[in-house]
Amino acid sequence: MAAVSVENIIMSYGKKKQKINALSDISFSVAAGELFGIIGPDGAGKTSLFRILTTLLLADSGQASVNGFDVVKDMKQIRKRIGYMPGRFSLYQDLTVEENLHFFATIFQTSFSENYNLIKDIYVQIEPFKNRRAGQLSGGMKQKLALCCALIHRPEVLFLDEPTTGVDAVSRKEFWDMLQGLKKQGISILVSTPYMDEANICDRVALLQKGKILSIDSPAGVIAHFKNPLVAVKAKQMLALLEKIKTLDFVQDAYPFGEFHHVVLQNEKAVPSLEQELEAADLGHITMHKVQANIEDCFIQLMKN
Amino acid sequence: MNNDTAIRTHDLTKRFGGFIAVNKISFDVKKGEIFGFLGANGAGKTTAMRMLCGLSIPSDGMATVAGFDVYKENEKIKKSIGYMSQQFSLYDDLTVKENMRFYGGIYGKSNQFIKEKTKLILDQLQLKNEANLLVKSLPLGWKQKLAFSVAMFHEPEIIFLDEPTGGVDPVTRREFWTMIYKAAATGTTVFVTTHYMDEAEYCDRVSIMVDGRIEALDTPAALKKNYNTNSMDDVFLQLARKATRKSD
Amino acid sequence: MKQFFVFIKKEFYHIFRDKRTMFILLGMPIVQIIIFGFALTNEVKNAKIGVLDFAKDAASTSLITEIQASRYFDIAQTLSSQKEIEPVFQKGNVKLVIVLPANFNAELTHLHTAKIQIIADATDPNIANQLTNYASAIIRDYQQRITENQQLPYTIQTQVRMLYNPQMKGAYNFVPGVMAMVLLLVCTMMTAITIVREKELGTMEILLVSPARPFRIIVAKAIPYLLLSTINIASILLLSVFVLGVPINGSIWLLLGVSMLFILVSLSLGLLISASADTQQTAMFIALVALFLPTVMLSGFMFPVANMPVVLRVLSNVVPAKWYYNIVNAVMIKGLGVQAIWKELLILSGMLIFFLGLAIQKFKIRLA
């Protein structure tokens, strides 16, 4: 049985005149025990999708189920079995770390000690601050506390909506390590993120843009779909370089990428042509080498097609 | 004061009671430079940026922005800088045009100037047809680009960007950075914070703050060499892990 | 059940940890009682007056002493001629001048009749009216006493009694009004705000996704406010009895019972507001405009409903506070029993069922 199954979900906002499709005909499924990532920028429809799956919103049409329970009919069953961490920090800022945990444990009809094993690894990191009010924690600590609260009743499926947004790189890395640990405990996890580089840690990802799924596959599978040759180039005058590359007709796309510009070429034959063109242009210290595309390159290509 | 320097700080410090948010930071930013200002949550980035924008008086040390002293001339500083953050940028319930008119007005620009500049920006962003739409009806990516143009409306010498690309799709993020490149090419100094480490690579120089201090400041290439790695992400992680401070 | 208690406990944490909430909840009633009871009273105390005594005999002196001794008046000017009267009024030094004619004692003892002139500054007619009433009352008292001493066969007495409020104390009028206002503030506004705050913070999302029954969440949120309101009623009643000297003439249990009914009406109004508002600001705005203003204006506690235009009189019937105000007036001040207020009780109960039903119907178990 799939942990999450979504079939032809359509969801729109606004009045008749200006109807905006938050989700247009989305279908996918998450296997039990899988760490599944929904990768997409703000406004892609990630939050709407999460709210439909956590029974908070009703879709216009389509069907969805969590662990076999229908999100509309079996609302109560689902609410007992899932853990949810909304995008905004949503714990009680004026309660201490411990009070928040005990409160949510009781709300979910369990106790802090009952499932302590599950959250132990995460909790020990915030334990030194257990008497501090949640509002006074740092961003990373807040995320950890929110995760503990979402896990306190040992949910079967965990929904994490943008858990790493606005969190610094160190905390983000720690957070993903924690998710790997939870996966080992057999919890199915559906997580969304706007950070493309986080896709690689998921078992499978769905790239979501403007309410449409661009691609669903394992990260390696998504990358394998990127067929064009990709070249990273660098010069002293980066802006002039980019403008020059964009004028070349064998270049499909070019964009800044870290310290380089990534150049998507139409075919293998274009690689030497690019080399020639750039050497002819006087842009100073040109270096170029072929690179493997990553999820972000794929996302850009899929977005433009 | 060197004419090529846009921002200069020396031992700039901010204390809140016993807590030292920013601890003796010193750096220079050259005119037309894209300066990346990185740091973990709570490292003191926002506090430092506020002092440079003339919003907060330092506890100690010196700083000049566009040649003006942050203690005494903060009104002059405000006129010479532009500011854009992820949270506050534009009025959602005003149209694209009205937003520009408003910001032009705040900076005391003439009607003629506002009119011409508005036309120029609408052309550049290809927003001519959307000029009279409410900002809230625009997609997020457009809003961010528009916000940047509006922050640049009064042609400031220095522009401060506080996590300008959070949550934006990868294509728009790059279009955004192309705009930053162009602004820098025309001599505007860009001071930018970001959580995306690949964006740190776009900067001419990057400083990384840890626990209120600047722990590293160099070009991305030199930083990677010094820390013996090939990604800025790793440089950042190596430095930020040293942090002992854990509160915002 | 454990869920329920943990919820209530959490709600108390929120209240106790926010000084502003604490003040509104527990300080406001006291402040309001004190403001209304003392500062805003229309009762006159120690008004400055002038006396022009042409007689200067035994009778006039003792009458003046009596006036001076009363808590209403304070003789600020002793005048010596008619000409001085005008200037003291113009300067605003006094609000009233009492003129005692020459031969006051002689006329009083021999003719059994004497004339006293009372001149009042009628710029504020209400105050002038009150002051002359007080002065006449003191003079009548005096007259009565000397007549008793002489034991004459016929004495004409004017007797005016102020029903229910013999000293015409403003507090009698305000206490029921303040009770209605405070309960509305605490139960309606605070309840609505705390529920909406959970929506704003996003914690409502988590609560809705939990197995906690949505309606139980709401009831649990209301309970602390119910408890605090009873404390407020107690403190208002204690203050009014022991500080303002307003007695509870009727049954205290009946008074507490009807207050409980009104609290429930207010709570259901709070729930109704929270169901339709998405931000704390909106909740506050609705509470103020839709509830607070009508309560102050139309419940009869500031302005008598009977004197209002028909439209407002009709409108005042939908203001719950009006009925509660009438009940408290009847029970607390007039000392009446259930038979006098059954109509109001019925109306309030009807309102409770209606608002609660609407609130339950509008309460969302989902987000949008």
Side-chain angles (χ1 to χ4, degrees):
Chain A
M1 183 183 54
V4 175
S5 136
V6 176
E7 279 168 54
N8 306 104
I9 286 283
I10 296 178
M11 174 82 204
S12 58
Y13 279 122
K15 307 227 167 63
K16 277 175 192 165
K17 261 189 192 170
Q18 274 191 311
K19 229 173 187 178
I20 300 160
N21 268 357
L23 295 169
S24 22
D25 207 3
I26 296 280
S27 304
F28 66 90
S29 75
V30 178
E34 200 173 18
L35 174 55
F36 191 93
I38 306 277
I39 318 285
D42 287 5
K46 302 191 296 286
T47 300
S48 301
L49 180 61
F50 273 74
R51 286 183 171 167
I52 289 169
L53 292 173
T54 52
T55 74
L56 286 169
L57 278 183
L58 292 176
D60 297 350
S61 68
Q63 309 222 311
S65 64
V66 176
N67 264 5
F69 294 103
D70 186 88
V71 291
V72 182
K73 280 181 283 177
D74 308 321
M75 183 177 89
K76 281 186 185 162
Q77 293 298 324
I78 291 183
R79 289 185 178 189
K80 275 183 203 154
R81 286 175 166 78
I82 59 169
Y84 174 44
M85 192 172 144
R88 293 174 294 170
F89 176 69
S90 348
L91 298 173
Y92 296 100
Q93 316 254 356
D94 54 348
L95 299 191
T96 64
V97 168
E98 234 182 353
E99 285 163 356
N100 266 299
L101 279 166
H102 284 291
F103 174 73
F104 283 105
T106 318
I107 290 296
F108 282 98
Q109 292 158 330
T110 174
S111 71
F112 178 60
S113 44
E114 206 170 306
N115 290 317
Y116 181 70
N117 271 339
L118 182 65
I119 59 166
K120 199 178 105 195
D121 293 342
I122 308 163
Y123 182 67
V124 288
Q125 300 179 49
I126 48 174
E127 201 176 7
F129 312 101
K130 64 180 181 188
N131 291 320
R132 195 183 283 191
R133 301 222 177 140
Q136 279 149 11
L137 294 174
S138 71
M141 290 288 156
K142 279 180 184 168
Q143 302 300 85
K144 283 172 196 159
L145 173 58
L147 184 60
C148 282
C149 288
L151 284 169
I152 196 112
H153 57 296
R154 189 176 273 278
E156 294 163 17
V157 186
L158 188 59
F159 292 90
L160 308 167
D161 191 9
E162 295 203 20
T164 52
T165 296
V167 174
D168 65 63
V170 179
S171 307
R172 268 169 57 194
K173 193 149 186 343
E174 288 173 0
F175 198 87
W176 280 97
D177 291 345
M178 289 185 289
L179 293 192
Q180 296 286 7
L182 290 172
K183 206 194 110 183
K184 287 198 188 99
Q185 304 233 24
I187 296 176
S188 317
I189 305 171
L190 188 65
V191 57
S192 73
T193 177
Y195 296 99
M196 304 287 152
D197 54 338
E198 293 180 344
N200 295 316
I201 313 161
C202 303
D203 296 330
R204 281 195 308 146
V205 292
L207 305 186
L208 195 67
Q209 162 75 4
K210 289 184 182 161
K212 291 198 181 90
I213 291 183
L214 302 175
S215 168
I216 305 180
D217 213 327
S218 63
V222 171
I223 290 165
H225 271 92
F226 195 97
K227 303 285 190 215
N228 300 64
L230 184 70
V231 178
V233 294
K234 191 176 160 181
K236 204 142 198 231
Q237 299 168 47
M238 289 298 273
L239 184 58
L241 175 67
L242 187 62
E243 277 162 0
K244 168 74 189 163
I245 295 168
K246 281 189 171 167
T247 60
L248 303 171
D249 54 3
F250 50 81
V251 169
Q252 196 180 66
D253 197 6
Y255 42 85
F257 204 101
E259 60 174 316
F260 300 98
H261 292 322
H262 275 189
V263 186
V264 185
L265 297 167
Q266 276 170 353
N267 48 44
E268 286 297 334
K269 281 184 292 182
V271 181
S273 318
L274 178 70
E275 203 163 358
Q276 278 168 17
E277 286 282 350
L278 293 185
E279 264 161 24
D282 182 25
L283 296 159
H285 304 294
I286 293 230
T287 60
M288 62 178 280
H289 58 280
K290 273 193 82 178
V291 285
Q292 171 79 60
N294 69 12
I295 293 282
E296 194 149 359
D297 291 303
C298 299
F299 198 100
I300 292 171
Q301 190 174 53
L302 289 165
M303 260 182 86
K304 288 187 173 171
N305 287 345
Chain B
M1 169 96 205
N2 189 329
N3 275 341
D4 289 337
T5 309
I7 301 173
R8 162 166 292 171
T9 74
H10 185 72
D11 286 349
L12 191 67
T13 301
K14 181 79 188 186
R15 283 182 289 266
F16 295 107
F19 177 73
I20 307 173
V22 175
N23 193 356
K24 291 192 173 178
I25 57 171
S26 306
F27 61 86
D28 283 1
V29 180
K30 288 194 288 287
K31 258 183 196 165
E33 190 174 10
I34 301 175
F35 190 83
F37 200 60
L38 311 186
N41 297 118
K45 275 178 307 179
T46 310
T47 312
M49 198 135 143
R50 282 201 183 134
M51 286 193 279
L52 296 178
C53 292
L55 296 173
S56 163
I57 298 284
S59 311
D60 216 338
M62 67 77 80
T64 56
V65 175
F68 301 115
D69 186 75
V70 290
Y71 288 93
K72 287 174 245 152
E73 298 173 299
N74 48 10
E75 290 312 312
K76 283 184 189 155
I77 289 176
K78 285 179 192 170
K79 272 190 190 154
S80 340
I81 63 169
Y83 178 80
M84 177 202 160
S85 81
Q86 196 191 345
Q87 292 87 14
F88 171 79
S89 35
L90 300 166
Y91 290 99
D92 258 358
D93 52 353
L94 296 187
T95 66
V96 173
K97 246 183 173 168
E98 284 163 352
N99 265 295
M100 289 196 241
R101 175 72 265 152
F102 173 74
Y103 280 99
I106 283 190
Y107 286 98
K109 294 294 177 190
S110 69
N111 285 342
Q112 181 69 18
F113 178 91
I114 293 174
K115 221 171 158 182
E116 283 167 12
K117 191 84 183 179
T118 304
K119 193 176 170 302
L120 189 73
I121 292 174
L122 291 177
D123 279 350
Q124 279 172 352
L125 297 180
Q126 296 169 338
L127 275 176
K128 257 191 257 174
N129 296 326
E130 287 80 7
N132 291 316
L133 288 185
L134 294 184
V135 165
K136 68 175 154 206
S137 65
L138 298 179
L140 177 85
W142 291 17
K143 270 191 218 173
Q144 297 298 85
K145 284 193 274 179
L146 182 64
F148 178 73
S149 301
V150 167
M152 289 286 293
F153 196 90
H154 59 293
E155 299 172 350
E157 288 175 45
I158 304 163
I159 181 145
F160 289 87
L161 306 171
D162 194 2
E163 289 177 33
T165 54
V168 175
D169 70 69
V171 172
T172 313
R173 221 146 59 80
R174 282 166 175 89
E175 289 168 359
F176 194 90
W177 272 93
T178 311
M179 288 174 77
I180 293 179
Y181 274 140
K182 283 183 180 154
T186 58
T188 311
T189 310
V190 180
F191 189 94
V192 58
T193 72
T194 179
H195 278 318
Y196 293 97
M197 284 308 133
D198 61 320
E199 291 188 346
E201 304 265 15
Y202 303 155
C203 302
D204 295 320
R205 282 191 307 151
V206 170
S207 80
I208 298 176
M209 264 184 104
V210 180
D211 286 354
R213 292 172 176 279
I214 290 185
E215 285 293 328
L217 198 175
D218 216 324
T219 61
L223 284 174
K224 282 186 283 186
K225 205 173 153 201
N226 288 348
Y227 287 86
N228 204 13
T229 171
N230 56 7
S231 83
M232 274 307 285
D233 207 24
D234 207 36
V235 173
F236 184 80
L237 289 178
Q238 284 187 38
L239 280 165
R241 286 222 168 100
K242 290 185 194 160
T244 51
R245 189 196 281 176
K246 275 292 183 187
S247 70
D248 268 330
Chain C
M1 224 37 210
K2 199 182 161 204
Q3 271 181 307
F4 198 65
F5 286 120
V6 99
F7 226 111
I8 295 172
K9 193 169 105 189
K10 180 213 74 163
E11 214 52 42
F12 273 115
Y13 281 143
H14 290 320
I15 295 169
F16 291 144
R17 286 179 185 176
D18 184 17
K19 289 195 183 85
R20 272 176 301 174
T21 313
M22 274 293 272
F23 175 75
I24 293 179
L25 286 178
L26 298 172
M28 274 297 257
I30 297 169
V31 170
Q32 282 198 334
I33 277 285
I34 288 169
I35 290 176
F36 282 110
F38 291 104
L40 290 182
T41 172
N42 47 20
E43 185 182 350
V44 183
K45 268 183 213 152
N46 298 329
K48 291 196 174 1
I49 61 163
V51 171
L52 177 51
D53 183 5
F54 289 113
K56 290 201 170 62
D57 51 29
S60 73
T61 318
S62 80
L63 178 58
I64 290 168
T65 320
E66 201 132 317
I67 290 169
Q68 173 77 310
S70 93
R71 49 195 281 259
Y72 303 114
F73 299 118
D74 179 14
I75 299 175
Q77 303 269 337
T78 313
L79 312 174
S80 51
S81 82
Q82 207 83 36
K83 276 186 284 178
E84 289 174 28
I85 295 175
E86 190 85 32
V88 291
F89 274 124
Q90 279 168 350
K91 279 186 207 149
N93 290 345
V94 300
K95 294 277 170 213
L96 183 107
V97 170
I98 296 174
V99 186
L100 297 150
N103 308 322
F104 180 68
N105 193 22
E107 281 178 19
L108 197 64
T109 41
H110 301 300
L111 305 173
H112 299 295
T113 166
K115 279 180 181 150
I116 294 176
Q117 191 183 19
I118 297 172
I119 309 166
D121 176 355
T123 334
D124 184 335
N126 286 329
I127 291 180
N129 217 343
Q130 263 186 19
L131 288 178
T132 50
N133 280 339
Y134 290 149
S136 315
I138 293 168
I139 295 163
R140 258 196 319 275
D141 264 6
Y142 173 76
Q143 183 195 350
Q144 201 181 336
R145 223 169 321 125
I146 54 170
T147 349
E148 269 168 17
N149 289 344
Q150 298 198 346
Q151 291 179 332
L152 279 179
Y154 297 106
T155 337
I156 298 162
Q157 288 187 356
T158 35
Q159 189 187 31
V160 178
R161 252 184 72 208
M162 297 294 180
L163 277 173
Y164 312 124
N165 185 3
Q167 292 146 297
M168 302 247 291
K169 275 193 181 168
Y172 279 63
N173 192 16
F174 287 124
V175 170
V178 169
M179 281 176 71
M181 259 167 56
V182 165
L183 292 181
L184 214 58
L185 189 82
V186 172
C187 299
T188 309
M189 196 150 95
M190 299 307 283
T191 315
I193 285 176
T194 83
I195 296 175
V196 175
R197 189 174 59 187
E198 300 232 11
K199 286 195 202 175
E200 260 187 347
L201 285 175
T203 41
M204 192 54 102
E205 265 181 71
I206 299 192
L207 294 182
L208 285 178
V209 166
S210 80
R213 299 246 302 276
F215 198 70
R216 210 177 271 179
I217 298 175
I218 299 298
V219 174
K221 279 198 89 78
I223 285 192
Y225 295 92
L226 193 127
L227 291 175
L228 286 168
S229 321
T230 51
I231 296 178
N232 280 330
I233 295 182
S235 65
I236 293 174
L237 290 179
L238 285 172
L239 276 173
S240 46
V241 173
F242 293 107
V243 180
L244 301 178
V246 181
I248 299 169
N249 290 322
S251 150
I252 182 142
W253 298 113
L254 182 60
L255 185 62
L256 292 179
V258 295
S259 299
M260 214 43 102
L261 177 63
F262 183 65
I263 289 173
L264 292 176
V265 173
S266 309
L267 284 173
S268 54
L269 276 170
L271 298 185
L272 193 58
I273 291 176
S274 71
S276 32
D278 281 324
T279 65
Q280 293 183 59
Q281 272 169 323
T282 321
M284 184 108 83
F285 186 75
I286 298 177
L288 279 177
V289 172
L291 282 170
F292 221 59
L293 281 179
T295 300
V296 173
M297 300 297 182
L298 299 177
S299 66
F301 117 81
M302 282 280 194
F303 312 104
V305 176
N307 297 350
M308 288 177 189
V310 188
V311 183
L312 290 184
R313 250 184 293 159
V314 172
L315 211 61
S316 76
N317 289 330
V318 300
V319 179
K322 174 192 164 175
W323 306 106
Y324 178 64
Y325 176 72
N326 288 350
I327 292 175
V328 177
N329 255 332
V331 176
M332 186 176 173
I333 313 293
K334 297 185 193 164
L336 302 174
V338 186
Q339 63 281 10
I341 53 165
W342 64 269
K343 193 181 86 178
E344 280 87 352
L345 283 177
L346 220 58
I347 292 171
L348 279 183
S349 312
M351 284 179 167
L352 174 62
I353 293 165
F354 177 73
F355 289 137
L356 201 59
L358 204 60
I360 294 172
Q361 199 211 329
K362 287 195 80 175
F363 182 77
K364 295 172 191 120
I365 54 165
R366 292 195 160 86
L367 279 180

